[in-house]
C-alpha cells in the first residue's frame, strides 16, 4: 500500500519504481560480498538517483531534462544488470524480471516526455 504524497496523487511511474526497488534491494543483497561493494552499491545508487529525479520531475519546470536523465540512468542500470547476469551474479529469472521492470519504466518515462513535448 502506498502512502499519499503531499503534492497530490502519486505518479504511476513513481509507484512502479518504488515497487521495483522493494524487489531490487534484497536481490542485490544476495550478490557475493566482493560484488556487493561495487556493482550492487552502484546499482542501488542509480536506482535511488532515479527516485530523486522522478520527484524533481514532478515539481520542476525542467521536467524533460530530468526525465531524460532518468532514461540515461535506466540505460546504465540495464548495462550493469546485464554484466551482473553474464558474470553469474544474478540468475536468469531475476535478470529477465529486472529488464522487464526497467523497460516498462522506460516506456512510462518516454510517454511522459512525449506528453510534455506536445505542450
Amino acid at each position: 500500500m502506498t502512502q499519499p504524497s503531499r503534492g497530490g496523487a502519486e505518479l504511476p511511474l513513481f509507484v512502479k519504481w518504488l515497487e521495483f526497488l522493494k524487489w531490487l534491494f534484497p536481490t542485490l543483497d544476495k550478490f557475493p560480498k566482493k560484488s556487493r561493494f561495487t556493482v550492487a552499491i552502484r546499482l542501488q545508487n542509480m536506482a535511488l538517483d532515479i527516485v530523486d529525479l522522478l520527484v524533481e520531475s514532478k515539481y520542476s519546470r525542467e521536467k524533460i531534462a530530468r526525465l531524460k536523465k532518468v532514461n540515461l540512468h535506466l540505460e546504465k542500470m540495464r548495462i550493469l544488470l546485464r554484466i551482473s547476469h553474464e558474470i553469474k551474479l544474478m540468475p536468469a529469472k531475476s535478470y529477465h524480471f529486472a529488464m522487464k521492470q526497467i523497460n516498462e519504466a522506460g516506456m512510462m518515462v518516454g510517454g511522459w516526455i512525449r506528453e510534455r513535448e506536445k505542450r
Side-chain angles (χ1 to χ4, degrees):
M1 184 169 165
T2 59
Q3 297 287 330
S5 71
R6 292 180 182 213
E10 292 280 352
L11 295 167
L13 173 57
F14 186 76
V15 172
K16 178 168 192 50
W17 193 251
L18 291 183
E19 289 299 316
F20 175 62
L21 293 186
K22 289 178 193 176
W23 172 86
L24 180 66
F25 281 33
T27 300
L28 295 175
D29 285 342
K30 296 174 188 170
F31 278 28
K33 194 173 195 175
K34 66 179 181 177
S35 299
R36 219 175 306 137
F37 295 110
T38 53
V39 177
I41 287 176
R42 185 99 181 231
L43 283 162
Q44 288 174 342
N45 287 336
M46 277 190 247
L48 292 172
D49 288 346
I50 290 171
V51 170
D52 290 344
L53 287 165
L54 290 174
V55 171
E56 291 171 13
S57 296
K58 182 175 180 180
Y59 295 102
S60 173
R61 291 179 190 255
E62 294 93 29
K63 289 181 187 336
I64 293 174
R66 284 179 173 78
L67 291 170
K68 287 182 178 183
K69 284 184 182 181
V70 170
N71 267 338
L72 181 60
H73 278 65
L74 291 171
E75 186 60 25
K76 289 177 183 180
M77 285 187 71
R78 283 183 188 101
I79 292 165
L80 280 178
L81 287 165
R82 178 180 171 187
I83 291 167
S84 298
H85 171 61
E86 289 177 358
I87 62 174
K88 310 272 189 258
L89 298 175
M90 177 178 274
K93 185 176 179 179
S94 295
Y95 170 71
H96 292 298
F97 176 79
M99 288 299 102
K100 181 178 183 237
Q101 298 304 305
I102 289 172
N103 289 339
E104 287 176 7
M107 286 188 280
M108 294 173 86
V109 170
W112 195 1
I113 291 171
R114 285 188 296 280
E115 183 264 325
R116 294 302 301 180
E117 287 177 336
K118 288 180 183 176
R119 292 181 179 190

